[in-house]
Every structure is written in structure tokens, then in C-alpha cells.
Amino acid sequence: MLHGTPERSPDLVLQALKRERGSFSRGLREFGHSEQGPIWTLPDPVKTLVDPDGHVVWRPSTVRCSDCGDQALPPQLVDNRAQIADPAGLGVDKSGNVYILDANNYRVRKVDSGGVIHTVAGNDTNDNKCSGGPALAVGFDNPVGLTVDDTGAAYVADSSCGMVLKIAPGTGNTLSIAAGSSCLGSTGQACLPGDGGAAIQTQFATGPDAVVVDRAGNMYIAQANANLVRKVDSHGTITTFAGQVDPTTSPIMGVAGYSGDEGPATSAQLNGPVGLAVDGAGNVYIADSLNNVIRRVDSSGTIHTFAGSSNSSALGDGGPATAAQLSIPEGLAVDGQGNVYIADFGDSLVRYVDPSGVIHTLAGPYIGDPGNGVQLGPNAVAADNAGHVYIADATNSRVWITTQSPNTTSSSGSGIGMSSHVIQTPVQVVPYAGPGQYTRDQGIVLRYQVC
């Protein structure tokens, strides 16, 4: 059972439920009362329901969890957001499942398309860390980045393990080492400090700090303190993809700086790359954090500055992205329309660059009123096929979701348009999950909508 409060008449709720599910076997029944009015019960968990005009008609108000099952809960309204601590990475698979790297709880959580949250990897014991095996029996040490590939596999960059760990898709998830080595000699093979060898034998000087996988199965790994981005091809061989290698270092590190645009990415200098994304054409985007810019490496291996400028003192919304101000950009994502999203951490903003190269603010600096709202601390972003953008807010241990998406540029100039109406940026941003310590697997994570 799922309890909640109708925002309109029960008949309108049933009509909305029928549109959402296609059919239903049982209707609403009154369960009890709270100070805010009657509480009603639906037979199955559902997300917030809206009528054709966008008005909320049903808002769930409590959870179904593994401890209480379908038993009736006390007749009171309850905060039902699953609790997470320091969300450090996000990913969305083709089925719409959202993966959250719940870093301070040492877990990867999955929110399925029905809004139910599960742990798919990690545990409290910290046993068997930095190794392969059953995903729920293997611990993480310092998980800092996450991505999901086209097959539904998730990858976690663990900077203390010095590894990228892969979570196989499906039930009975298993964890394996995709890149990096602890160099403990358990395999009897020597660690490789440089390029050209097997990724699973490679010793990283620092990191890894971020990971992304392209459609061809190539994996890209950011090493922030080493000022490098590495590439692991589909055969498992590792090379330097971007950054100027210092030949005197072993394991290899890069030279910090900002240079090399319009030339080979391996001759360019980076400074603290902490975020990665890849688009459908194979272009790789790098959050060159300490240079306050986003770099793009095209399919020919040439590097460009894509967004941000060291000479800018203005945000630059509505103008060329290369003339805009960014401050410690971290997470990146690309949607199906070619919009590139930037977690502009230092500015407490989420920005996006549209396919024409114009930059906009999507959300922030506050969620809600500046006087009473929450100041955003975005460190990761993800986009789904339905047009939602998910924002990992490490400062507040929350994940936010936008209720609108930038599909087309509106006629207002400063806004972004939806299929049926024009809205102004920043878009509506509402809670998705968090905050708090780990709890409530199989609870309901709501996609709230605001009237």
C-alpha cells in the first residue's frame, strides 16, 4: 500500500492513475486523517500524478520499505525521500534507472523507473574492498566518480583503491576491476607505471577521479592531481588521452598548466581534470577544474576550449560559452539533444551549453527563495531520455531533479522552451533523494512536482 494526500478530488486521481498505468484494479480508499487532511491509500507505489494541465492530483506521503513491507503505516504524513550522504556521481541507463554514488555510505544506489531505491554495490563493513566478487560483499574505499555505459554496466572511480571498478548489469550484480592495480602482488604480475599495457595492471600515480565510457566501449579516466586523462580501449590497453606527460615521473603524471588548444590533446596541459562526459559523436568533454574551463577533444584527438574563459568576470548567460565565467567546474553530462551540462560548483550553478554553443543557467544558486532556500553545491549531473536533469548536491547531501528540460531555445532569449510552453531559466528544481545516512532500501524516491 502507498498512502498519500489527494491534491484534487479522488475521481481526478483515479483518472490520472489510469493514464499513468493504463489500467487499475482497485481505487482509492480513505485510510485516516492528519492535520493536513485525509490520507488515502493506493494499491501500488506510484509517483506524483498530474492532470493534463499539469496540476498535481496525487502526492505520495510515505514509503514502502523492506522492514514494513505492505503493512499499514500510521496515519501521518512522512518525509519519504531516501537518505544519502555526499552523492558524488550520477548515471542513467537506457531504461531510465538512475544510479547514485552514495559516497559517504560507500554504496552505489539504483532508483528504478518505479521510484524504488536499491543498493547494488557496497556495504557498511568495508570488507574485501578494492577487489572483485559479489557486488554487495565488496567494499569501496573512497568512491568519487560514477558512470553507466550503454549496456547498463556501472563504473566507479575509487581514488583510494587506485582503481575503476565495474558493476555488471542485471540481478546478482558482480564487481570486477576494470582499470588500476593495488600492486600487492596477488596476481604475481608486476604493476605497470606507464602507457601501453593492460589497464588492470596499471598503477595510477593519483586517482582515478572520474570515468566515462563511449558507445564503442572505450573508457576514459580522469586523474585530477596527475593532470591527465587516460583511455582504456575495448581490448583493455591503457594510453594517455589528454594532458602533457612529464617524462621524469613514474607512475606517470602530467604537467599542470593551460595550453595546447587546437593541437593534439596529448600535448596540451590540464590542471585538475575532475569531470568527464562523451557525446554520441565521440567527442570527449573534460572539466578542467582549476583552469575554470571545459575542454573538448574531438574524434581526431584535437583539443579545444569548449566553455569558460580565464578573462571573463561575468557569467555570460545567453552568449558564447567560451566567453563565460565558470568556477571550479566538476561534473559533466550530455543529453540526447546535444546539450552539455556543467556542475559549476564554485558558482553554485548548473549551466548548460546548447548545440549552438550558447551558455545558459539551468539551476541555482538557490533552490527555493534565496532567503529561505538551499544554496546549491553541484558536483555531478546526469540527464535521462525523458528530458530530466539530475543534480548531485554534495553540500546538502541531496539529489535534485528538474521538472523541465531544455529542448529548444525559446523566443524570450533568456528562457528555454518545452514542447508546449515557454519557461524562464532557472527551471523548476525539486527534491529527488536525500539527505542523511544510509537507510530505507526499497523505499520510494519521489519525483515531486510543484504546482
Side-chain angles (χ1 to χ4, degrees):
M1 296 291 181
L2 183 73
H3 310 300
T5 305
E7 306 285 312
R8 298 289 190 274
S9 73
D11 286 343
L12 289 177
V13 176
L14 292 179
Q15 292 172 21
L17 182 61
K18 188 172 182 179
R19 285 191 299 271
E20 175 74 14
R21 293 292 179 88
S23 65
F24 54 91
S25 58
R26 292 180 290 172
L28 286 167
R29 66 179 180 87
E30 189 167 341
F31 176 79
H33 286 75
S34 73
E35 294 179 355
Q36 295 158 296
I39 295 177
W40 298 71
T41 299
L42 278 174
D44 296 300
V46 294
K47 63 184 180 180
T48 296
L49 299 177
V50 297
D51 66 19
D53 295 323
H55 299 115
V56 172
V57 297
W58 170 265
R59 192 187 306 279
S61 59
T62 191
V63 302
R64 184 183 70 180
C65 62
S66 56
D67 294 331
C68 58
D70 288 330
Q71 298 176 14
L73 298 178
Q76 59 184 357
L77 298 180
V78 180
D79 180 357
N80 60 348
R81 286 168 290 170
Q83 295 178 345
I84 56 176
D86 189 15
L90 295 170
V92 183
D93 67 19
K94 287 184 173 180
S95 299
N97 300 302
V98 179
Y99 292 77
I100 302 170
L101 180 55
D102 191 357
N104 279 359
N105 288 315
Y106 302 95
R107 286 171 167 83
V108 175
R109 319 284 292 277
K110 182 179 80 171
V111 182
D112 64 28
S113 56
V116 180
I117 191 166
H118 316 262
T119 293
V120 297
N123 57 70
D124 279 329
T125 65
N126 213 24
D127 291 338
N128 304 316
K129 62 184 180 182
C130 311
S131 63
L136 296 177
V138 176
F140 297 109
D141 198 359
N142 185 31
V144 291
L146 178 140
T147 195
V148 179
D149 70 13
D150 280 356
T151 71
Y155 299 77
V156 177
D158 191 315
S159 62
S160 292
C161 289
M163 296 174 177
V164 174
L165 299 162
K166 179 180 179 180
I167 306 167
T171 58
N173 305 91
T174 59
L175 204 67
S176 61
I177 298 171
S181 174
S182 62
C183 297
L184 298 178
S186 59
T187 64
Q189 297 174 316
C191 287
L192 304 175
D195 285 331
I200 59 173
Q201 292 179 244
T202 296
Q203 181 183 7
F204 293 114
T206 67
D209 301 282
V211 59
V212 74
V213 180
D214 67 18
R215 291 179 177 176
N218 300 300
M219 179 169 58
Y220 303 87
I221 302 167
Q223 296 177 254
N225 290 335
N227 306 303
L228 294 175
V229 175
R230 314 287 286 280
K231 176 182 177 180
V232 180
D233 65 23
S234 58
H235 302 291
T237 301
I238 192 167
T239 55
T240 294
F241 177 75
Q244 185 183 103
V245 172
D246 181 346
T248 67
T249 58
S250 180
I252 63 172
M253 296 187 65
V255 179
Y258 180 41
S259 67
D261 273 353
E262 312 310 321
T266 51
S267 297
Q269 293 179 355
L270 308 174
N271 195 357
V274 296
L276 296 170
V278 62
D279 65 20
N283 297 298
V284 178
Y285 300 84
I286 304 168
D288 194 354
S289 184
L290 297 183
N291 284 324
N292 298 312
V293 297
I294 307 302
R295 314 288 284 273
R296 177 175 64 88
V297 181
D298 62 30
S299 57
S300 71
T302 301
I303 195 168
H304 318 264
T305 292
F306 175 77
S309 172
S310 59
N311 298 320
S312 178
S313 59
L315 286 177
D317 279 348
T322 51
Q325 171 188 298
L326 299 175
S327 179
I328 317 177
E330 295 193 0
L332 299 172
V334 185
D335 69 15
Q337 287 72 46
N339 299 295
V340 178
Y341 300 92
I342 304 167
D344 189 359
F345 182 83
D347 288 320
S348 297
L349 299 172
V350 175
R351 321 288 295 278
Y352 77 95
V353 181
D354 66 31
S356 68
V358 176
I359 195 168
H360 314 263
T361 292
L362 182 76
Y366 292 92
I367 306 300
D369 296 330
N372 301 311
V374 174
Q375 185 167 0
L376 196 62
N379 62 321
V381 285
D384 65 18
N385 292 329
H388 300 112
V389 178
Y390 301 84
I391 304 165
D393 181 351
T395 301
N396 299 293
S397 284
R398 294 188 180 188
V399 176
W400 306 91
I401 180 175
T402 64
T403 60
Q404 301 106 352
S405 63
N407 292 332
T408 58
T409 303
S410 74
S411 59
S412 64
S414 60
I416 51 177
M418 293 287 288
S419 57
S420 61
H421 63 282
V422 173
I423 61 176
Q424 298 290 319
T425 53
V427 301
Q428 180 68 55
V429 178
V430 291
Y432 184 74
Q437 295 181 345
Y438 166 73
T439 186
R440 297 182 184 168
D441 262 0
Q442 299 183 18
I444 304 302
V445 176
L446 294 185
R447 297 172 176 85
Y448 288 98
Q449 289 197 353
V450 179
C451 296

